[in-house]
């Protein structure tokens, strides 16, 4: 009886408390979604992030000029309209009226000027800076510190203008990038480098704002009442569970503590693939190995190619990874358009150039690998130094590392596995503190340049520091041309240079698989690996 009385009193007090709160701050504790899409991110600073898990959080807290819908089409975001000049060199974006930051202050076009300059500034160390903005007037000077030289302007509070050196066929997709969302200068100046980990300083402009951040445990987002489209946002809270162990994530899922998990124990996959709550969707991306090309012997293309050819990609995809990935035949995978060929970029590559890897005849590739290693001076692996493979152990990553160790042992080479947390892997890879490392890329937009350009000399995501004048020239020509046929032709040629030089070793093409409760509705998953949860509901 005492328990019942206390319970009634608790409900009464809770009702009184809710009744006293401002209506904009009302939170229905039943209308919360719990998800697990990764461990603690290296960063959720939009300018500094380069990971899919970080981007998933960012797109719920921020909104750029443009964004993507459920069909992966570009639609208005903060900009209600935009236009391109006849010569393709000027893009003008007209912002919605009354835009605000989550702290209630006004958001203007000047905030986009600051934010884009910040991405270009080398002091920010944005991995995406070069790839996204090198076609903008003054980028070279801005990247060296003269940020006011970047060709972005705000003629008035609701107009944002971008000047390009040359036309860009996919600039609308760049404007929708999660990197180029606006960030508040005052908040960053006040909090410094820790601004993206503190609720009070993580001032944003999207559907949600940060409520709490407990590294290694969870990040909680709650509705942002100052978001322009708040009336269409459904979940009052999103709880991002920062779980790095798949077994722990799956246990929480089975207990109905989490409605969506990305990490699934690999031993459970054969059984779960017939479960109606198991989902698998193709991604525009490739899982590959990065070689530190500044370190001998990986500065020798023959060594890199030998290591790459010694991999049985069909066995890796179908056996080690249980058919949840597809063996890579080239670098650019399926699902990425080739507007000239009228089909996919990958299919046209196979038709015109053939497949670089003979996935149906691994023995032939292995024979070539041994010959190449011998020509580089390491016959049967003699004299080849021991080296480390850097990876995290999420999903299949550890199993892949163990397979690579055995595959390269066939060349007489000894490789040691170094497992680190994901945020350590990304930081050390970027800093060049590795020999060979697990890598991968999921495209942010449907154009092969988004993955091919990673290997440009100045690209911030070029972790292996590969450099080729021939390759750089081809991707630059592809970027500048207004002729679609030339654009794709240059990109095809550039991919062939990468494969010939073994700039990296493609392993498999990505598929995304996850568990999602059957009562979770109106959420979607994009080919770029992003979940859109803001319009969902639990039935």
């Amino acid at each position: 009886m005492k328990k019942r009385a206390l319970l009634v009193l608790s409900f009464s007090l809770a009702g009184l408390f809710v009744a006293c709160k401002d209506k904009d701050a009302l939170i229905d504790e039943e209308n919360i979604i719990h998800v697990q899409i990764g461990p603690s991110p290296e960063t959720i600073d939009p300018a500094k992030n380069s990971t899919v898990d970080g981007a998933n959080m960012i797109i719920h807290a921020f909104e750029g000029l443009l964004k993507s819908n459920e069909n992966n089409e570009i639609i208005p975001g903060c900009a209600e309209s935009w236009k391109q000049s006849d010569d393709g060199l000027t893009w003008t974006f007209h912002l919605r009226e009354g835009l605000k930051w989550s702290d209630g202050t006004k958001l203007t076009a000047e905030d986009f000027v600051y934010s884009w300059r910040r991405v270009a500034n080398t002091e920010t160390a944005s991995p995406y800076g070069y790839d996204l903005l090198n076609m903008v007037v003054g980028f070279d000077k801005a990247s060296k510190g003269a940020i006011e030289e970047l060709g972005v302007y705000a003629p008035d509070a609701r107009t944002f203008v971008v000047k390009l050196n040359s036309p860009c066929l996919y600039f609308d997709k760049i404007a929708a990038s999660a990197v180029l969302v606006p960030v508040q200068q005052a908040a960053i100046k006040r909090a410094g480098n820790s601004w993206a980990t503190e609720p009070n300083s993580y001032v944003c402009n999207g559907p949600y704002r940060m409520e709490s951040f407990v590294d290694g445990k969870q990040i909680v987002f709650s509705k942002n009442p100052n978001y322009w489209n708040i009336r269409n946002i459904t979940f009052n809270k999103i709880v991002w569970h920062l779980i790095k162990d798949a077994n722990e994530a799956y246990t929480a899922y089975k207990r109905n503590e989490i409605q969506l998990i990305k990490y699934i124990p690999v031993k459970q996959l054969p059984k779960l693939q017939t479960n109606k709550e198991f989902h698998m969707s193709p991604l525009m991306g490739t899982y590959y190995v990065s070689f530190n090309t500044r370190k001998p012997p990986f500065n020798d293309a023959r060594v890199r190619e030998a290591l790459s050819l010694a991999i049985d990609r069909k066995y890796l995809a179908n056996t080690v990874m249980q058919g949840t990935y597809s063996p890579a035949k080239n670098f650019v995978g399926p699902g990425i358009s080739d507007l000239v060929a009228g089909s996919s970029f990958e299919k046209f590559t196979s038709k015109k150039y053939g497949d670089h890897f003979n996935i149906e005849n691994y023995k032939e590739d292995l024979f070539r690998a041994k010959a190449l290693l011998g020509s580089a001076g390491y016959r049967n692996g003699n004299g080849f130094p021991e080296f480390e493979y850097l990876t995290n152990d999420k999903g299949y990553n550890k199993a892949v590392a163990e397979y690579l160790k055995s595959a390269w042992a066939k060349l007489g080479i000894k490789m040691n596995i170094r497992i680190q947390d994901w945020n350590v892997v990304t930081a050390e890879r970027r800093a060049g503190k590795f020999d060979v490392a697990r890598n991968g890329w999921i495209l942010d937009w449907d154009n092969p340049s988004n993955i091919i350009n990673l290997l440009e000399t100045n690209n911030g995501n070029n972790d292996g520091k590969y450099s080729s004048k021939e390759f750089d020239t081809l991707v630059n020509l592809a970027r500048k041309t207004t002729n679609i046929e030339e654009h794709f032709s240059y990109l095809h040629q550039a991919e062939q240079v990468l494969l010939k030089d073994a700039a990296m070793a493609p392993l498999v093409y990505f598929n995304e698989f996850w568990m999602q409760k059957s009562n979770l509705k109106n959420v979607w998953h994009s080919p770029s690996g992003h979940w859109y949860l803001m319009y969902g509901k639990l039935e």
Side-chain angles (χ1 to χ4, degrees):
M1 291 296 293
K2 289 182 179 179
K3 289 182 179 179
R4 183 177 179 184
L6 286 171
L7 186 63
V8 170
L9 179 60
S10 296
F11 279 130
S12 299
L13 289 173
L16 179 63
F17 174 71
V18 169
C20 293
K21 289 178 71 65
D22 182 272
K23 67 178 182 178
D24 283 337
L26 287 177
I27 293 295
D28 176 4
E29 294 299 327
E30 298 299 318
N31 191 24
I32 300 174
I33 183 172
H34 294 259
V35 299
Q36 182 276 329
I37 55 146
S40 292
E42 181 186 356
T43 180
I44 50 172
D45 178 335
K48 297 182 179 183
N49 176 66
S50 65
T51 65
V52 177
D53 47 338
N56 265 295
M57 298 177 190
I58 290 166
I59 64 173
H60 286 83
F62 294 88
E63 183 172 279
L65 296 164
L66 309 178
K67 57 185 179 181
S68 299
N69 65 10
E70 63 269 28
N71 298 315
N72 212 32
E73 300 165 332
I74 301 299
I75 61 172
C78 287
E80 60 183 1
S81 65
W82 67 97
K83 64 181 179 179
Q84 181 183 5
S85 62
D86 292 340
D87 62 6
L89 298 179
T90 303
W91 287 69
T92 304
F93 299 88
H94 299 285
L95 304 187
R96 299 177 186 277
E97 186 174 1
L99 292 175
K100 292 182 180 180
W101 291 105
S102 56
D103 64 2
T105 57
K106 289 183 179 180
L107 188 157
T108 71
E110 282 293 344
D111 292 307
F112 280 95
V113 172
Y114 164 75
S115 303
W116 285 41
R117 285 177 174 176
R118 181 172 180 263
V119 171
N121 192 342
T122 188
E123 292 183 4
T124 306
S126 173
Y128 267 107
Y130 176 83
D131 199 26
L132 292 174
L133 298 177
N134 72 85
M135 73 289 291
V136 177
V137 167
F139 173 79
D140 288 345
K141 293 179 180 178
S143 65
K144 295 174 183 177
I147 59 174
E148 69 283 352
E149 295 294 327
L150 190 70
V152 292
Y153 313 95
D156 58 64
R158 291 182 55 199
T159 307
F160 179 66
V161 180
V162 184
K163 296 284 188 179
L164 304 184
N165 287 310
S166 57
C168 179
L169 296 170
Y170 49 87
F171 195 74
D172 57 338
K173 298 175 182 178
I174 285 178
S177 168
V179 176
L180 295 176
V181 298
V183 293
Q184 192 189 72
Q185 183 176 9
I188 295 174
K189 184 178 181 179
R190 185 169 59 248
N193 292 333
S194 65
W195 81 275
T197 60
E198 298 291 339
N200 291 336
S201 57
Y202 201 60
V203 180
C204 48
N205 74 316
Y208 294 89
R209 58 187 178 184
M210 185 188 293
E211 182 177 299
S212 65
F213 186 117
V214 182
D215 194 24
K217 186 175 181 181
Q218 66 181 29
I219 299 173
V220 178
F221 282 2
S222 58
K223 267 187 182 181
N224 171 15
N226 291 307
Y227 177 53
W228 69 270
N229 194 27
I230 189 62
R231 63 186 178 277
N232 289 319
I233 304 305
T234 51
F235 288 118
N236 287 322
K237 287 187 182 183
I238 301 174
V239 181
W240 309 95
H241 291 262
L242 307 178
I243 301 172
K244 63 180 180 179
D245 181 76
N247 290 304
E248 182 183 344
Y250 184 53
T251 297
Y253 180 83
K254 289 192 295 182
R255 290 176 178 168
N256 292 318
E257 296 169 0
I258 301 180
Q259 287 83 45
L260 185 154
I261 58 169
K262 181 178 174 181
Y263 287 8
I264 303 173
V266 295
K267 291 182 179 179
Q268 299 286 345
L269 280 173
K271 178 180 69 175
L272 291 176
Q273 288 186 48
T274 59
N275 189 313
K276 65 179 181 179
E277 295 185 349
F278 178 85
H279 297 262
M280 188 160 76
S281 179
L283 292 174
M284 300 185 298
T286 303
Y287 186 137
Y288 62 94
V289 167
S290 281
F291 302 108
N292 191 335
T293 63
R294 292 184 176 178
K295 281 188 174 183
F298 309 109
N299 58 345
D300 189 328
R302 294 170 298 180
V303 168
R304 300 194 299 266
E305 178 74 338
L307 293 175
S308 184
L309 289 171
I311 300 165
D312 186 343
R313 290 163 171 81
K314 186 175 182 180
Y315 175 81
L316 181 62
N318 295 340
T319 302
V320 177
M321 306 176 91
Q322 303 183 74
T324 54
Y325 290 72
S326 305
K329 300 176 181 178
N330 296 291
F331 184 37
V332 179
I336 301 161
S337 301
D338 186 322
L339 299 181
V340 177
S343 62
S344 75
F345 191 88
E346 178 219 19
K347 289 181 179 178
F348 187 79
T349 298
S350 296
K351 181 179 179 180
K352 182 171 182 178
Y353 298 98
D355 295 325
H356 191 76
F357 304 106
N358 191 346
I359 63 171
E360 299 298 336
N361 193 347
Y362 165 62
K363 289 183 179 180
E364 181 179 309
D365 276 357
L366 182 59
F367 177 82
R368 291 171 55 202
K370 291 178 177 179
L372 278 166
L373 199 64
S375 70
Y378 303 104
R379 183 176 178 82
N380 297 322
N382 292 328
F384 201 95
E386 286 188 27
F387 65 97
E388 287 186 332
Y389 178 79
L390 175 65
T391 185
N392 63 324
D393 59 0
K394 169 254 174 181
Y396 289 110
N397 293 325
K398 185 177 180 181
V400 169
E402 290 169 344
Y403 166 73
L404 292 176
K405 182 175 182 176
S406 66
W408 290 336
K410 293 179 181 179
L411 300 176
I413 291 173
K414 184 175 181 180
M415 180 265 277
N416 300 309
I417 301 171
R418 181 159 69 98
I419 293 177
Q420 298 286 350
D421 286 342
W422 178 228
N423 55 354
V424 176
V425 170
T426 54
E428 294 203 352
R429 214 171 49 195
R430 189 173 301 114
K433 297 178 180 179
F434 71 96
D435 299 323
V436 180
R438 172 240 159 169
N439 215 325
W441 192 260
I442 298 171
L443 281 75
D444 301 282
W445 59 83
D446 183 12
N447 187 287
S449 64
N450 187 227
I451 186 169
I452 290 174
N453 291 10
L454 293 177
L455 280 299
E456 266 189 290
T457 298
N458 295 320
N459 195 302
N461 290 299
N462 182 3
D463 296 330
K465 301 299 183 284
Y466 169 77
S467 183
S468 161
K469 289 183 179 180
E470 180 185 8
F471 174 77
D472 288 351
T473 297
L474 286 167
V475 295
N476 197 39
L477 288 170
R479 181 183 292 117
K480 290 183 175 181
T481 184
T482 57
N483 183 300
I484 293 179
E485 291 186 0
E486 289 181 354
H487 174 74
F488 283 97
S489 176
Y490 288 135
L491 290 176
H492 277 292
Q493 293 175 59
E495 183 189 25
Q496 293 305 303
V497 173
L498 292 180
L499 292 168
K500 180 187 68 176
D501 283 353
M504 43 57 227
L507 301 182
V508 293
Y509 301 135
F510 280 115
N511 292 307
E512 189 93 84
F513 51 89
W514 69 97
M515 297 295 293
Q516 177 179 320
K517 295 296 182 181
S518 55
N519 66 332
L520 177 57
K521 307 293 185 181
N522 296 352
V523 300
W524 74 84
H525 176 265
S526 79
S528 295
H530 298 152
W531 276 276
Y532 290 79
L533 308 171
M534 58 281 284
Y535 309 111
K537 62 179 180 178
L538 290 168
E539 293 184 343

